[in-house]
Structures are given as structure tokens and as C-alpha cells.
Amino acid sequence: MAIDLKAVEQLATDQSSLKAAAGLAKPAKWSGIGGSPDGALIWGECAGSGANPYRVMADLRDLGNKCTCPSRKFPCKHVLGLLWLNAEAVVPFAPADTPAWVSDWLGRRRGTSPAKPANAVTPPGEKDLRAARAVEPETVEDPKDVARREAQAARRNEETERAIFDALDALEQWVGDQLRLGLSGFIDDATARCRRIAARLVDGKAAVLAGRIDELPSRLLALAAADRPRGAVVELGKLVLLARAFRATPRDAEIRRAVATSETRETVLADPQAPRVNGHWEVLAEQVQTRRDGLVSQTTWLLNLAASGPRFAMLLDFFPASAGRRGSVFTPGERFQGELVFYPSQQPLRALLVRRDAAEDILAPEWPAPDAALSHALTRPLLAEPWTIEIPLLLPQGRIAHDDSGGNWWQAADGTTSLPVAGNTEGLLAGTKLTRTAAIWSGNRLTILAAQSPWGRIGGHD
Amino acid sequence: MTETAGAEEIFEAMGAVVTRWTMGATAASAAPFWRTALGDDPVEAELRLLALSGQFLGATVTVEAPSALRVLPDIPPLALPTVPEPLRPLVRRMLAASKEAASRTELVHFLAARGWTTHPADWMPDASDEDAPDVYAAWRDWSAFAAAGATTRRQTSDQLTTENWEDFWPAARKAALIGLRRRDPSAARALLEAKLDGENADARLRLISLLSERLSDDDVAFLEGLVANDRAPKVKALATSMLARLGHRPAAGEDIAELTGFFSVKTKGLLRRSRVIEIERPKTPAQWQRRKALFDGTDLMSFSGALGLSPQDLIAAWDWNVDPAADAGLIKLIAETGTDAQLAQAAGIVSENDATGLIVALAPRLEPAERARFAAASLRAHGIGFEMAQMIAGPAARLDDPLSAPSGAKLLAEIRRDDAKPSDHVAEFHALGLLASQTAAQQTLQRLTAAGLLQADPRLDMLRLNAALDDKGETT
């Protein structure tokens, strides 16, 4: 089944989409390109601005298509790019088994609604393939302009920093007020109080910190009532530590990431200090959470199956809740070979996917052994980043146990440690030995991402 | 001061620090060991104390587990293997797509009929899931003791006896009893006689229903005892219907005369005179209701006897497809109170008379091979759809070439239409996947994709599973 570029041109909503698609019609932007043996379906993964690539698929019979990007344009530039690759045979679309995510999309499609050629509404004259292909000449910049722009950027940076300092002053003042007013009152009224200071922090350009404070009440409420005063001290104490750390080294990328903004994908990719790890990864779990600030966070946890190196990687993307439900990029349990680049950090964790090679049935089924003794693994990250709230852990052999009030615990096989487990542990998770467990330790609760057992892999429950 | 002593001292002070902050009081004075670090400014001292305390409490204090933690026993392996790893994602997807419990049940029964079970991470039955295949009994009981707060399995043997009856959890007991009934019907009945009194009415009903396997005259005395003595009306009713199946009819009451008033036996034909039942159509809605109620209150033997016929003659003389409600009433009588031979006779006649809907009511009491035979016959001769055929055939059909039946040709024509939609005929494709043998499923897939369906079309999931899953089930 073949399409030609004319179809791509007709499908595009406007010239800028077409232009962007031309830029994406390059092999380097894509991985996992494939097609169904009958040639009707094509799919691929396109690197976007986030940590995860976008999954793009199209049905060539009616040009129906789908992409996991948050763009409001339909079709988006990634779909157009994929169709372009196909139309011009830029890369081979090797016949392959249809991936589950493509089948899922097919299953959700309702009726054939052949993608209408966009020229029904837009005169074709407004879009032009040749113009889209044209490479714009590089303009030579006047050195004076460059200097002026750099000066402007530096001034903006200073202003931002000053705004953050002011916001952090307000934060510390607020923390002091909570102590003075009593933590029992704070616990009762946490949502409203946190919302107010979070709004102040957003104004003060400390958006990441604001998001963290917005989520503080839900973390607090997840604890047993008797444990909440302790939890409040820990949470507020970490805020003070983070504020002080920022004041001491406001240009430190890692601390800035925890307070204000993260580097862009391009910055991380261009940073020679950012560690790159090429290895075998297993997708542990994907956590999708709608936050109070209206953003949806999509966190994909990966386990490094190699004997050494960073044990975990976290791919984090945000998109507006209004963009609707997004498809997952990974299936829990899937393993792949690929290259990640980690945001520079004392404990590399957050990462971007640079390249993913085709999925393989690879490797021994066993996960690596935990890198450190459990007590060490629970606390070591706090030495480097005392404000950390989520610590990924690889636990040794253990088992789920229950207390009389219905609470769940992970119990080490050697009986030395019991950790409280968040969420339910019904079914297989509680009915077998867990040879390895990947989990997140946060504020005295363990969230199980996945486990290995004599029955094979078990996904965690939310 | 050693480090350990320091940590203990800090730990002890933390109680007072947190309590003071909870009340809104200052706490710096409760941590004299950090006096130097906290400094002289009282506001700053509280913040520094907060940072230090937070780090200490976050890093060193974890919630202590209660001393009595309960660990559930291992989920036991089942008698059938779990589906091969490469097929698990497909099974998972199909289970997730099954919005109703009935379609999940259908899938697990299909798997069991082919000799496989689900992986426990993908699906496990609830303790109360009576519809789950018997092979899952051990998992149902595991769920039951997980919910009940038990920690150990009591059962030590697979052989059910009066002595170890209490040691079995309900699902395992039911499975053991079914096994025993197949091997030694009398022993199973004797076990029930001894233990039934201790069970509640619902449990008694479920246990007695197991007697329909290898039901024989040996069971009559026991069933009559139940009819006379059991406390629960529904148990009595079941025992009565089982007795009727064995040809033991209760004394016919006045109602039966009223019911036969709706029917009369006529003769027809000149040379070969044969009898035919003529149906007097009820005239008012109230009469329709009354006739239905009368059907519900009788049994096949009494009804035929009141008409002066044997049950076999009644079935042979019935005028099918004239009054569907009367047909349904008779079929219900046969299904509930007819002997196996009468049931087979009725199924044969109904199948020939193009009254396929009625076969569905009889099907649960037919052997799997018979069900498959009737489904295949109805597909070919009467052009029923695959969904209906699957209801007749049940989970253990292995039809050789269902797609060549009239509904197959119709389906192929439909998917070739220009206005065909990807969501068309979902249930038909699914039923086709359940009906076909493994080889037929493979061939059907080829023909459907040749006809223009995508190989990855989710409507073909059931066919794909069937085609890829080795058939290790028992065939009869």
C-alpha cells in the first residue's frame, strides 16, 4: 500500500505543519519503524521535546492516524513526518508483528472516518511541499546583536534569581508560621495553606518547588494519622534545606531543577557532563498523575539490567490535563536496548531516552542483585540530596505480609526489615515469594513498581 | 559521647520537639545537643532545628511493624499449565477488554477446555466465583482464606472423606466431590448423605446439583429423603426435578389437568396415522401467564401422563414453531425434568425443526461433543449466526470449518462492503474464534485477512489466540 507526498500535503492542516514534518522526515529522528506485513499499517517512535519519544501510527488504507504527542493539530507533525518517511521511502518499513500499542489503537478506533483531505477547508495553494523542504539560509548575525542578546539573557537570569530568592524568603517565613501556629492546625488545613504559598512560589518563578508543595498534603494524608506530625516535620524540614541549598548555589543545575525549572532536552543532550548509559532496560512501571496545578505527570521507571551503573532511570514528562489521555510509550515488563542520557546529578536518576533499539527477547530473566544493603539504600540518597522525597529501591528477597488492621507490609526474607506498603497488594503479589522487588520509598511508604517471583514478573498495584 | 549514644539522645528528644511544634510552641530548648548549630536568633534556630529534625526523622525513623504480621500461603500451582508466555499479552488484553464477567468466564472456560489456565498475575477468580472452571478451585480457596484471614491450608489430602470434609475449603471440596462422583457415584452420594446437614441451603443446593453427573436409580432413595425432609424449598425443588429426570414423578395435582386443558391430542394422516398435539391458544394475557405458571409447576412425566402419552411420544407429537411460548415451556420441562434420552430426542427434533433457540436451553445438559454437533448442524442447515452457535456449542467446541457455513459467507461479504467499519461484527468474530478448532482458526485467519481484514485487527484476537494456542484439552 503506497501513498505519495501529495497525500501528505493534503493532510497537513497548514504550511507550518508541513514544514515541521519535512524536518522530521529524517531517519535520525526515528526508531522502531515498522509496518504490518500487508502494508496497511505503519508505525514508529519519534523523538520529541520530552523524555519519552512519541508513538506514531497510521493506517494507510484510510490515512487514519494517531500520535501520543500533546499537539492539538490533527494530524500532528509527527504523523505527517511518518507518512513522509513512508511516501519517499526514506527508511525501510520492515514487516513486523503489530505492536500491542498499535493493536490497542485499532481496537479503540470507532468506525472508519477517513482522514479528510485538508484541502476541503484550506485552499491547496496555501501549502507547498517545495517550500516546506526549502532549507532556510543561515543568517549571519551581527556580533553586536549577539552581545546584546547575551546581556539581555544574563539580566533576565538575574531577575529570575532575585524573584526566586524573594519567593524562598516568603517560603521560610511561611514555614516558620506553620510551626508557630502549630503543626496540628497545619495538618488539618494543609491543602489550603499549601495552595497559597504554592501560588506565591509560582509568581516567584519557583515552579517546581510550587508543584512539590501542592502535592505535599496528599503525601501527608497518605500517612497514618499518628505519623503525620512526624511527616510534616520531615516535609517542612526538607523545604528549609532546599531553600538554603539554593541560596548557597543558585546556579547549580541540580538544585535549580528542584526549585525552578529543568534544563531543556537540547541542553541535556549537549552537556558533556551528562552521563550517557547504553544498556538493557526493563520498563518497571508507568505512573500517571494529575496534579493540582492542572498538569499531568507521566513518569516511566526503568531498571538497568546491567550489573553496574545507575540502577534506575526515571523518564518524566508533563503535559496539560486538557490535552486528554495520552497513550503510554512503554508497556510494563518490556525490555529494550537503548541509550539514555541522565540529567547531571550526584545521583543520576532523571533521564531522557536518546535512542531505543528494536525490542529484543533478551537476557536472563533475573534482575540484578541489590547494589547495597537495604538500610544503606534507604538513607544514602539523603546524604547527597537531603530534600529528596522519592527513593527508588531494589529490595532483596521478601514477601508481602498483612497486619490486623488491613495494612500491607513488605517483609525481608531474613526478617530484619518490614516496610509499610502503599496501596493494595491483592492477588499474586501477596501469594508468592518475591525474589526481587523494585519500589519507591517515599515518606515512610513503599510503592511497589514491579517484582520478580517464581511465577515470573508481577506488576505493582496502584 | 559516641555516635550511637548521640543518635539515641537525639531520638529521645525528637518526641518533645515534635510535640511542641504540634502545639505551636518553640522547640529549640528541647534539643540542647544542637545548641551551637542552632545559633542565637530564636526564629532562625527553629528553622535550623526543623531542617535537622526533618533529616533525622526522615532518615532514621521508620514505622515499626506490628509484631503479628500474617503471611498468606503460596498460591498453589493448578493441574493445568498457565498459557505460554508469548500469548500472555494477548490474553491480558482480551481479559481487559471483557467488560462483563460473562465474557471473561467464557475466555477462561475456553482456555481450560484447551488444557490451559491463566497466569495468576493476569487473572484469578474470586472466592465466590462459582462460574470459574473447576480447575481453578485451589485459587478460589486461596482467595477465600486470604479474605478470611487464615494463614494455613488445612487440607492434607486430595481424597475427600467424611473425616477430612471440614479440612477442605469449599471450592476444593466441590472439585474433589466431582472427581469422586465420576469415579464412584455411590461413594460421592454417601459422603453427601453424611455431611449435607451441616451445610447451609445455598451450599446444599450447589452440592446436590453435582449429583446430575452419573445420576442413576441408586440416588432415588436419597433424593426422596431430601424431598421429604430438607428444610429449604429450593433444595426440595432440585431434588424433585432430579427424581423426575429418573422417571419418578410426584403425584399429579389438579393443576396438571388445568395445564392439559390448553392442549389436545389429535390424530392425522390416513395411512400412517400419527398423533399430533394441538395447542389451544390462550385468549387473554392472564391466561398466557397462567399457562406459564402451570408449566413452571410441573414435570415432563406428569404432563405427558396427563395427556395420555409417554414423554417420548409427547416430544415426537409436539407441533413445534406454532406457539413459541408453549415450545419454551415444554423445553424447560425437558431440560429440568427429562431423562438424558428424552433430552437427546428433543434436541434432535428441535434441531431438525429449525427451532435453534430452543437448543440453547437444552445445551447445558448435553455432552460437549453433542453440543458441538448440534452447533455445526444448525450453522449449516439453518444459517444461524456464530454467536448463537457458540451458545449451543459451549466452550469446548472444535468445529472444523465454521467459516464455510452460510453465516461465514455472509460475514465475508459484509467485510468486503465499501461501508464496512472496523467495529462491525465484533461479537461474531469473537464467537467464531471460540467455535473453531485450532487448525480451523488458522485457516479462518488466512481467509479473513485475504478478504481484507488486517492481521492485527483486534476483532480477530480470539481467532489469533485459538490459532496460536496448542490444543491440549481432552476431546471426547
Side-chain angles (χ1 to χ4, degrees):
Chain A
M1 215 163 288
I3 55 158
D4 60 18
L5 268 187
K6 201 73 192 153
V8 180
E9 186 186 45
Q10 285 184 344
L11 210 55
T13 50
D14 51 30
Q15 180 67 26
S16 67
S17 290
L18 209 54
K19 174 89 190 154
L24 288 174
K26 299 186 174 75
K29 299 273 184 191
W30 293 83
S31 57
I33 290 274
S36 58
D38 46 20
L41 297 172
I42 55 170
W43 58 82
E45 289 169 7
C46 182
S49 54
N52 289 298
Y54 301 124
R55 283 187 158 168
V56 193
M57 57 214 101
D59 184 339
L60 296 182
R61 294 170 305 171
D62 55 5
L63 293 182
N65 58 73
K66 162 86 183 159
C67 175
T68 59
C69 81
S71 168
R72 286 166 203 270
K73 282 189 185 175
F74 186 79
C76 66
K77 60 186 178 182
H78 309 104
V79 166
L80 296 173
L82 180 74
L83 292 170
W84 197 310
L85 286 182
N86 187 262
E88 295 234 296
V90 180
V91 288
F93 282 73
D97 283 347
T98 311
W101 48 276
V102 178
S103 299
D104 287 347
W105 166 64
L106 281 177
R108 282 197 303 273
R109 286 187 78 190
R110 288 280 171 272
T112 37
S113 47
K116 290 185 186 65
N119 63 1
V121 283
T122 323
E126 287 185 14
K127 293 176 291 178
D128 181 3
L129 275 170
R130 259 181 318 174
R133 270 189 221 262
V135 180
E136 280 173 21
E138 278 189 41
T139 46
V140 184
E141 272 193 294
D142 184 345
K144 273 189 208 157
D145 287 344
V146 176
R148 197 166 52 236
R149 216 180 41 245
E150 281 173 358
Q152 273 174 351
R155 205 167 44 245
R156 262 203 314 278
N157 263 342
E158 273 171 34
E159 280 168 15
T160 305
E161 229 160 78
R162 230 183 350 264
I164 295 175
F165 283 145
D166 287 349
L168 293 179
D169 285 345
L171 173 67
E172 287 198 7
Q173 172 78 39
W174 176 84
V175 171
D177 288 348
Q178 305 316 310
L179 293 181
R180 268 189 297 281
L181 292 166
L183 291 181
S184 63
F186 170 70
I187 291 165
D188 290 344
D189 189 28
T191 307
R193 293 193 194 176
C194 287
R195 188 76 277 261
R196 281 197 290 276
I197 188 65
R200 169 71 185 85
L201 290 171
V202 171
D203 293 343
K205 315 240 184 255
V208 177
L209 192 51
R212 169 182 177 140
I213 292 176
D214 252 339
E215 299 306 317
L216 189 157
S218 66
R219 288 194 295 273
L220 213 49
L221 289 175
L223 298 175
D227 195 32
R228 284 178 199 158
R230 186 203 62 84
V233 169
V234 174
E235 287 277 359
L236 296 177
K238 284 175 191 283
L239 295 180
V240 175
L241 285 166
L242 187 53
R244 300 287 160 106
F246 186 87
R247 278 214 193 80
T249 50
R251 301 281 161 91
D252 182 289
E254 188 173 357
I255 295 172
R256 219 180 169 84
R257 216 177 290 141
V259 173
T261 51
S262 301
E263 305 91 311
T264 60
R265 181 181 170 95
E266 287 67 34
T267 312
V268 178
L269 286 172
D271 186 347
Q273 304 297 319
R276 287 179 176 240
V277 179
N278 192 354
H280 285 119
W281 305 90
E282 175 170 326
V283 181
L284 291 171
E286 183 191 65
Q287 295 174 320
V288 178
Q289 195 190 6
T290 305
R291 310 193 322 165
R292 286 187 178 276
D293 56 12
L295 287 180
V296 175
S297 68
Q298 185 181 31
T299 315
T300 309
W301 292 95
L302 303 176
L303 179 73
N304 184 353
L305 296 167
S308 61
R311 181 54 65 218
F312 293 92
M314 177 184 83
L315 306 181
L316 180 61
D317 276 325
F318 296 98
F319 55 93
S322 56
R325 193 182 166 280
R326 255 175 78 160
S328 305
V329 181
F330 295 102
T331 315
E334 119 182 53
R335 290 175 171 193
F336 66 92
Q337 163 97 38
E339 185 179 355
L340 299 188
V341 56
F342 284 84
Y343 286 71
S345 163
Q346 295 186 62
Q347 305 169 100
L349 179 63
R350 188 170 169 191
L352 299 168
L353 185 60
V354 180
R355 198 192 68 253
R356 161 149 68 153
D357 301 332
E360 314 164 41
D361 291 329
I362 33 168
L363 301 172
E366 284 297 315
W367 288 355
D371 303 302
L374 183 51
S375 57
H376 200 51
L378 284 168
T379 53
R380 187 184 50 189
L382 295 172
L383 284 176
E385 292 175 74
W387 47 84
T388 300
I389 31 183
E390 291 194 328
I391 301 172
L393 291 174
L394 193 56
L395 301 170
Q397 185 171 320
R399 200 174 175 107
I400 297 297
H402 305 279
D403 60 30
D404 289 339
S405 53
N408 302 311
W409 298 78
W410 173 87
Q411 218 175 17
D414 61 11
T416 53
T417 318
S418 299
L419 301 174
V421 175
N424 82 59
T425 55
E426 284 169 8
L428 183 55
L429 202 56
T432 186
K433 179 171 80 181
L434 305 175
T435 45
R436 296 267 185 280
T437 302
I440 297 169
W441 178 244
S442 57
N444 247 345
R445 276 155 45 96
L446 196 67
T447 304
I448 294 178
L449 297 173
Q452 285 285 353
S453 75
W455 285 95
R457 183 184 192 282
I458 310 173
H461 301 285
D462 288 328
Chain B
M1 188 164 48
T2 65
E3 243 181 69
T4 320
E8 273 168 19
E9 194 182 347
I10 297 168
F11 182 74
E12 273 172 25
M14 281 300 122
V17 168
V18 175
T19 307
R20 286 184 184 204
W21 277 334
T22 308
M23 323 269 283
T26 56
S29 59
F33 39 83
W34 281 336
R35 192 174 300 129
T36 321
L38 300 185
D40 297 329
D41 177 353
V43 175
E44 175 65 12
E46 293 296 308
L47 288 179
R48 288 185 187 180
L49 179 59
L50 180 65
L52 287 166
S53 310
Q55 174 78 341
F56 181 83
L57 292 171
T60 61
V61 180
T62 52
V63 186
E64 198 153 315
S67 54
L69 283 180
R70 187 167 69 87
V71 172
L72 293 173
D74 281 341
I75 287 175
L78 302 180
L80 298 176
T82 57
V83 289
E85 202 60 29
L87 289 177
R88 274 185 62 199
L90 181 57
V91 171
R92 260 202 305 271
R93 191 144 64 87
M94 292 173 67
L95 286 167
S98 308
K99 291 189 179 67
E100 294 154 17
S103 58
R104 269 193 299 278
T105 304
E106 198 176 68
L107 178 59
V108 292
H109 273 279
F110 170 84
L111 292 175
R114 296 290 166 97
W116 300 95
T117 51
T118 59
H119 189 282
D122 300 338
W123 182 81
M124 282 183 76
D126 292 337
S128 60
D129 194 345
E130 292 289 337
D131 295 330
D134 291 335
V135 66
Y136 290 95
W139 287 2
R140 282 181 54 198
D141 285 341
W142 184 89
S143 296
F145 53 67
T151 50
T152 50
R153 299 179 71 201
R154 295 168 296 185
Q155 183 189 335
T156 49
S157 153
D158 288 341
Q159 303 294 323
L160 185 65
T161 63
T162 47
E163 286 74 38
N164 67 14
W165 178 272
E166 299 300 330
D167 295 345
F168 277 68
W169 286 81
R173 189 188 295 153
K174 178 182 160 201
L177 201 56
I178 290 172
L180 182 61
R181 179 75 178 172
R182 283 185 190 142
R183 289 193 308 276
D184 185 351
S186 298
R189 189 188 58 253
L191 203 51
L192 281 185
E193 273 181 284
K195 303 307 294 187
L196 209 54
D197 268 353
E199 303 292 327
N200 66 33
D202 284 331
R204 290 205 302 282
L205 193 71
R206 281 197 294 273
L207 289 169
I208 294 166
S209 69
L210 303 182
L211 293 182
S212 39
E213 177 109 27
R214 301 191 66 180
L215 188 68
S216 75
D217 283 340
D218 294 345
D219 300 316
V220 169
F222 174 55
L223 291 171
E224 282 176 344
L226 288 173
V227 173
N229 303 320
D230 199 278
R231 304 180 290 276
K234 54 190 171 187
V235 173
K236 287 182 181 218
L238 178 61
T240 308
S241 103
M242 285 184 153
L243 278 171
R245 274 198 231 171
L246 292 168
H248 294 255
R249 60 174 159 154
E254 290 172 10
D255 285 353
I256 199 72
E258 191 185 346
L259 179 61
T260 48
F262 288 101
F263 306 91
S264 54
V265 185
K266 298 272 161 62
T267 48
K268 66 170 186 181
L270 288 171
L271 297 173
R272 291 181 57 200
R273 294 179 68 77
S274 62
R275 279 175 297 194
V276 65
I277 307 287
E278 206 169 276
I279 304 172
E280 316 278 343
R281 286 178 71 82
K283 293 180 182 62
T284 64
Q287 279 191 341
W288 284 100
Q289 285 297 326
R290 179 63 185 154
R291 192 182 72 179
K292 183 172 181 306
L294 291 168
F295 263 124
D296 287 344
T298 188
D299 62 278
L300 180 62
M301 195 79 161
S302 306
F303 181 48
S304 61
L307 287 168
L309 299 171
S310 71
Q312 287 84 343
D313 289 342
L314 170 68
I315 294 166
W318 192 263
D319 198 4
W320 300 95
N321 293 338
V322 174
D323 179 343
D327 289 351
L330 178 66
I331 287 293
K332 190 162 174 283
L333 282 189
I334 297 169
E336 286 173 5
T337 64
T339 62
D340 290 347
Q342 291 153 4
L343 195 90
Q345 180 201 1
I349 293 177
V350 168
S351 176
E352 282 165 21
N353 278 281
D354 196 8
T356 321
L358 299 175
I359 289 264
V360 174
L362 299 173
R365 275 192 60 195
L366 295 169
E367 292 296 317
E370 285 290 284
R371 296 180 69 165
R373 192 169 65 76
F374 281 119
S378 300
L379 267 177
R380 295 202 192 293
H382 306 307
I384 61 165
F386 294 120
E387 248 189 299
M388 177 73 97
Q390 201 275 322
M391 284 166 78
I392 297 171
R398 293 175 174 83
L399 302 195
D400 284 335
D401 186 15
L403 196 63
S404 65
S407 22
K410 192 168 146 225
L411 197 58
L412 283 168
E414 293 273 335
I415 59 176
R416 288 194 179 105
R417 284 165 60 124
D418 289 341
D419 58 350
K421 295 188 185 65
S423 54
D424 285 347
H425 310 296
V426 173
E428 283 290 277
F429 284 112
H430 182 75
L432 186 53
L434 288 164
L435 278 171
S437 67
Q438 188 190 7
T439 315
Q442 291 160 351
Q443 291 161 351
T444 304
L445 273 180
Q446 282 174 4
R447 288 175 61 187
L448 288 173
T449 47
L453 285 192
L454 280 185
Q455 281 175 341
D457 195 311
R459 288 175 291 176
L460 303 181
D461 278 352
M462 190 64 229
L463 275 165
R464 265 203 302 279
L465 176 65
N466 187 340
L469 190 69
D470 283 345
D471 189 348
K472 299 190 170 185
E474 291 171 17
T475 47
T476 48

